[in-house]
Amino acid sequence: MTQDNLTEVMEFILLGFSDLPNLQGFLFGLFSVIYLSILIGNGLLIFITKTDPVLQTPMYFFLGNFSLLEICYTSVTLPRMLADLWSPKRSISFLACAVQACFLYILGAAECLLLTVMAYDRYVAICKPLFYPLIMNHKVCVQMVVASWMTGVPVMVVETYQIFSLNFCGPNEINHIFCDAPPLLKLSCGDASNVAVSVLLLALSFVTIPFLLIFYSYVKIITTILKLPSSSGKSKAFSTCSSHLIVVGLFYGSGSTEYLWPNSRQSAGASKVLGIFYTTVTPMFNPLIYSLRNKDVIASMGKLLPKSHRS
């Protein structure tokens, strides 16, 4: 990149759902309800994992941090999407677009790494139960969470700088619901092949490698569970892992398709659907998945009901 390769575009237009003019009000109401449910559901998980003595274990410590991450991740895209649905003006400044993309990548990388940490926690708990308190002590858990949040920061800042250092001199309409690399690269006036390769390599690093580590962890977990003598022990072990596996499948399924599948084979509509899925649908279902499939979480939420009646 050279210093004279400066952008001539001062703002972008996020097309979003502009091709559905008759559904703007309905979509605004729908996504408002979804955003509110994400805030309430994940906020409730954060509250009970911090306050209930029964849930003061590494698994729920990671779950509380994951719920906070889901709120932050969704808040990068959904408020802006709601503003675009409410107002006919869909412009976003060049700087605001860069900031949104940067936080989207940082938090996306953090989610991949935190899901890997959660898989490792389940691996140690089931495959090495006698050493679990020693290996997964509080200091180690905090270090893992901090590493998950911070590892992607320098890399994604540099990557965002590379993307927005491209020459944008032509059309400024982003056919997407938020600022993202694939649609932005299509708007570049110059050769963006090097940046496209860099984006792909980063996606491979932060999506494929964590996924392979998660896959390996669950191969070892399932192998260990199948060796358990009692059926009740197998059922309990599977129940503690199934929630995490569902979230991994939802997030990685949509995210990997978006970033690892050739852009030429994806329509703009499909890209928008995938974007909604991994930034909105997964955070929305996260509290439901963990509460409906976890007796401890259900019991903890049940304790809140008598308190609210007494107040």
Side-chain angles (χ1 to χ4, degrees), residues 55-114:
L55 304 184
Q56 302 308 304
T57 64
M59 182 175 76
Y60 297 110
F61 173 72
F62 294 135
L63 177 57
N65 277 273
F66 186 72
S67 297
L68 175 61
L69 178 58
E70 294 283 59
I71 290 175
C72 296
Y73 193 49
T74 305
S75 297
V76 172
T77 58
L78 258 183
R80 178 76 213 189
M81 190 194 310
L82 291 172
D84 290 337
L85 288 169
W86 181 260
S87 171
K89 185 182 179 182
R90 303 172 184 274
S91 61
I92 181 172
S93 69
F94 186 85
L95 178 60
C97 188
V99 170
Q100 184 188 56
C102 187
F103 275 102
L104 184 72
Y105 302 150
I106 290 172
L107 295 172
E111 184 149 350
C112 291
L113 295 175
L114 191 53

Side-chain angles (χ1 to χ4, degrees), residues 221-229 234 238:
I221 288 170
I222 293 172
T223 302
T224 302
I225 290 176
L226 293 177
K227 293 179 182 178
L228 294 175
K234 292 180 182 179
F238 272 121

